[in-house]
Amino acid sequence: MRTWQVCDVMSTDIATVRDDTPYRKIIDVLTQRHVSAVPVVDDFQHVLGVVSEADLLHKVELIGQPHERRVFEGSRRQKARVKADAAVAADLMTAPAVTTLAHTPLVAAAKTMNSEQVKRLPVIDDLGRLVGIVTRSDLLKVHLRPDADIRHDVVQEVLRRVLAVEEGVVQVTVRDGVVRLTGQVDRKSSADIAGRLAAQVSGVVEVVNELGYDFDDSQLADRWSGRTTFTGIA
């Protein structure tokens, strides 16, 4: 079963700046390219950091305010004050950048964005060079897959290849990403597995599992898992 990866949805036409790019030039790049942040790269396309609109806004936020350091100044304000005085990308950027690899599954990339509280991830190759960028909206593209493509994966990858269910035994309908499974299989465990695997197909929003079964093997599985085997010399 194919798992969608970052390379399937990332943008490869990337706006970048260098560490010595001036403040005003960074704003020009953001405006011209209609993006909210840019990676800062070196001569070898290694990502040094990311400059976002939030980094640039500190200069606007602190206009006209005294620059003296406060005795009990918090770390957030200290960083804001430093960036408000910055003139080039090296001093404006957030570093180190939180990055991801092109072959990272979308689920893992989404978890990274959430845990690191970032809106985008520069995508690097195995040598650490920038090859793309993925945003929150890019990760949502998986849910734009046509229902027919989703149904094909459920039928061919889950029912045929994994569970070896014969054609016509299980009926699969998909509407707006919601998969409905109906029909009758031999065991309860097969019905449960079909539902779980269908939910892992890219683009699936929900699975309505209405599969019936001929034999409830759940108690047998519980009994087997509870067995204790004693080994050793008598």
Side-chain angles (χ1 to χ4, degrees):
M1 184 164 53
R2 181 178 180 275
T3 299
W4 275 43
Q5 302 176 337
V6 166
C7 59
D8 295 317
V9 299
M10 71 182 187
S11 300
T12 55
D13 181 18
I14 322 157
T16 61
V17 297
R18 308 300 289 272
D19 59 355
D20 60 351
T21 302
Y23 179 94
R24 178 58 186 271
K25 178 61 177 178
I26 298 172
I27 295 177
D28 289 341
V29 172
L30 295 181
T31 302
Q32 292 169 7
R33 297 296 298 272
H34 303 288
V35 293
S36 60
V38 285
V40 182
V41 298
D42 63 14
D43 294 335
F44 302 99
Q45 289 297 298
H46 294 145
V47 181
L48 306 176
V50 174
V51 178
S52 68
E53 291 175 336
D55 296 319
L56 298 171
L57 281 173
H58 291 304
K59 192 177 290 292
V60 178
E61 175 189 355
L62 298 179
I63 285 178
Q65 294 191 20
H67 284 59
E68 67 270 10
R69 184 171 182 173
R70 300 179 180 179
V71 177
F72 299 107
E73 188 174 56
S75 60
R76 183 181 179 279
R77 184 172 177 81
Q78 287 178 15
K79 293 178 181 178
R81 180 170 48 78
V82 170
K83 291 188 178 185
D85 293 335
V88 295
D91 299 322
L92 287 160
M93 67 185 184
T94 298
V98 181
T99 61
T100 188
L101 294 168
H103 51 73
T104 300
L106 294 190
V107 172
K111 289 181 178 178
T112 298
M113 282 190 188
N114 182 60
S115 63
E116 297 293 336
Q117 297 183 336
V118 294
K119 297 179 180 179
R120 65 200 64 78
L121 296 171
V123 185
I124 58 176
D125 62 15
D126 293 333
L127 296 178
R129 298 171 301 192
L130 183 68
V131 294
I133 194 163
V134 64
T135 65
R136 290 177 177 176
S137 60
D138 291 329
L139 296 183
L140 296 176
K141 289 178 182 178
V142 66
H143 290 298
L144 297 179
R145 293 190 72 200
D147 289 341
D149 291 353
I150 295 173
R151 183 183 184 280
H152 176 273
D153 284 357
V154 173
V155 172
Q156 298 300 326
E157 298 297 325
V158 175
L159 298 178
R160 301 286 187 273
R161 188 171 70 84
V162 178
L163 296 176
V165 176
E166 295 181 3
E167 185 175 357
V169 173
V170 174
Q171 291 74 51
V172 181
T173 59
V174 184
R175 182 174 182 180
D176 296 331
V178 177
V179 176
R180 184 179 298 274
L181 304 175
T182 56
Q184 191 87 0
V185 293
D186 56 350
R187 295 171 297 172
K188 183 178 186 298
S189 59
S190 297
D192 293 340
I193 292 172
R196 290 198 302 270
L197 292 181
Q200 296 176 24
V201 170
S202 296
V204 172
V205 176
E206 180 185 359
V207 174
V208 180
N209 191 348
E210 298 178 342
L211 287 174
Y213 47 87
D214 299 324
F215 174 64
D216 186 351
D217 57 346
S218 58
Q219 293 182 350
L220 181 61
D222 292 340
R223 191 178 307 162
W224 176 261
S225 63
R227 289 181 59 185
T228 302
T229 302
F230 296 95
T231 59
I233 301 175

